[in-house]
Amino acid sequence: MESQRDLGFDFLPDLPVPISQVGGRYLLFDIKIATYLRREHRICGTQTGTLPLAPSQNLFLGVPIEIMPEEAQLLVEKGVGFILDDARSHDKAMQSPDKARRADYLASIRKQSEQVEQFRIQEKEQSRKRALSKLAKMSSAGTSTPRQDKPVADLLDFDDGESSTVVPTESSTLAETASLQSESTTKGRISDTTSTNYHVTPTTSQFLLSSPPQTPKSAVPDLPASYPMYKHLHENGFFMTPGLRFGCQYTVYPGDPLRFHSHFLAVGVEWDEPLELMDIVGGGRLGTGVKKGFLLGGASPAGDVRTFSIEWAVM
């Protein structure tokens, strides 16, 4: 049985966590890990997943969550995550003769299916109790129940062959209601013993993959030159998301983006990189127009990071 810590917002995964590399993108497939990284390490990411039945929708996205290369590198340096070549690792896991790991993976799937079945039984029993309580109140008040040609099936009733809850007619009595309650209790016991074994497709194949490497400090290839500024802002407590829609590299927030508006539009540059004056003026005016500061920054030859905030003001 999983503990409340594993099921709630206090979930603590085994570190380092896998960061799947697929086609040059860095993805998180486990929603618990994504929640943990957002809560403890200020890594927000971008939802990219859609539902299998609605692949064209783009309003409500979910896992996998894509993180920036800068975020992946930061997690690797802190020992929180490691880069996992997803395609190669899955091929290796499927061809591996390790029967114990395969058995553990199947056991985790079986455990999830049992949890789904227990949840379904509890929901059906609660639905029966609510219906019986409503019928008892109507019978005691002397009111008649609206006649129904066909009972409404429970939304969680997946068994087509199982009889549904019987809705009594106008001539129902308290005795019939008590008999119905006894019958439903008996059915509940039967469903507990003859439960259906559901086959659940897990959202992550982490149990099937190999353990993390012993040297997880490998660098992320093609890391942007703005990484020193990103790391500097992250270490100072800021949240950052991709800033493409504002014409910058990062949108900088003082707290979680679900609670705060961003304060800066940030662009990271090399220390000796030439800057066009019109780019500075345009960035300052754009930031002021959306009520944000335009932030320029980069690593100096001494190794520290310097940042400059530009705002458009009236003289």
Side-chain angles (χ1 to χ4, degrees), residues 48-227:
T48 60
T50 60
L51 296 175
L53 298 180
S56 299
Q57 63 88 17
N58 57 3
L59 296 178
F60 302 99
L61 302 178
V63 291
I65 294 178
E66 181 178 1
I67 63 176
M68 297 182 290
E70 300 92 313
E71 295 173 323
Q73 175 65 27
L74 183 69
L75 293 174
V76 169
E77 290 182 0
K78 297 174 66 175
V80 177
F82 69 98
I83 306 301
L84 180 71
D85 190 335
D86 198 272
R88 183 179 300 177
S89 298
H90 276 86
D91 289 342
K92 183 178 178 180
M94 295 303 296
Q95 299 173 3
S96 174
D98 189 355
K99 296 182 179 180
R101 182 174 297 277
R102 192 182 297 268
D104 291 341
Y105 180 65
L106 295 176
S108 65
I109 297 178
R110 192 177 302 109
K111 183 178 181 180
Q112 292 183 32
S113 66
E114 292 174 356
Q115 291 177 348
V116 171
E117 173 62 16
Q118 292 176 2
F119 177 77
R120 188 191 71 89
I121 294 174
Q122 293 175 0
E123 286 293 323
K124 288 189 64 176
E125 188 62 27
Q126 292 177 1
S127 179
R128 287 193 183 96
K129 289 181 179 180
R130 288 193 297 266
L132 292 171
S133 176
K134 183 177 179 180
L135 290 174
K137 291 181 181 179
M138 295 177 66
S139 300
S140 61
T143 59
S144 60
T145 305
R147 190 180 186 86
Q148 295 185 3
D149 296 333
K150 184 179 180 180
V152 179
D154 190 359
L155 292 179
L156 295 177
D157 190 358
F158 303 118
D159 297 335
D160 296 335
E162 186 177 356
S163 61
S164 303
T165 304
V166 179
V167 179
T169 59
E170 299 178 358
S171 59
S172 298
T173 60
L174 287 176
E176 293 175 347
T177 303
S179 175
L180 179 62
Q181 185 174 6
S182 176
E183 182 181 356
S184 65
T185 303
T186 304
K187 289 180 180 179
R189 296 195 188 99
I190 296 176
S191 63
D192 290 342
T193 57
T194 62
S195 60
T196 305
N197 185 17
Y198 288 97
H199 299 279
V200 178
T201 301
T203 58
T204 175
S205 54
Q206 180 179 353
F207 293 102
L208 187 62
L209 301 179
S210 59
S211 58
Q214 297 181 359
T215 57
K217 300 296 183 181
S218 58
V220 173
D222 301 327
L223 197 64
S226 58
Y227 175 69

Side-chain angles (χ1 to χ4, degrees), residues 215-258:
T215 57
K217 300 296 183 181
S218 58
V220 173
D222 301 327
L223 197 64
S226 58
Y227 175 69
M229 189 191 70
Y230 171 86
K231 184 178 180 181
H232 170 75
L233 294 175
H234 186 276
E235 290 176 348
N236 282 274
F238 289 99
F239 285 71
M240 278 163 287
T241 60
L244 179 60
R245 64 175 179 172
F246 288 109
C248 59
Q249 287 179 300
Y250 313 110
T251 310
V252 184
Y253 296 81
D256 194 297
L258 294 175

Side-chain angles (χ1 to χ4, degrees), residues 262-303:
S262 57
H263 283 189
F264 299 104
L265 307 179
V267 175
V269 296
E270 298 279 355
W271 184 256
D272 55 352
E273 179 181 347
L275 295 175
E276 295 289 341
L277 182 59
M278 293 303 297
D279 292 339
I280 299 177
V281 174
R285 294 191 66 177
L286 174 62
T288 303
V290 293
K291 299 181 180 180
K292 309 179 194 308
F294 182 60
L295 191 69
L296 283 173
S300 68

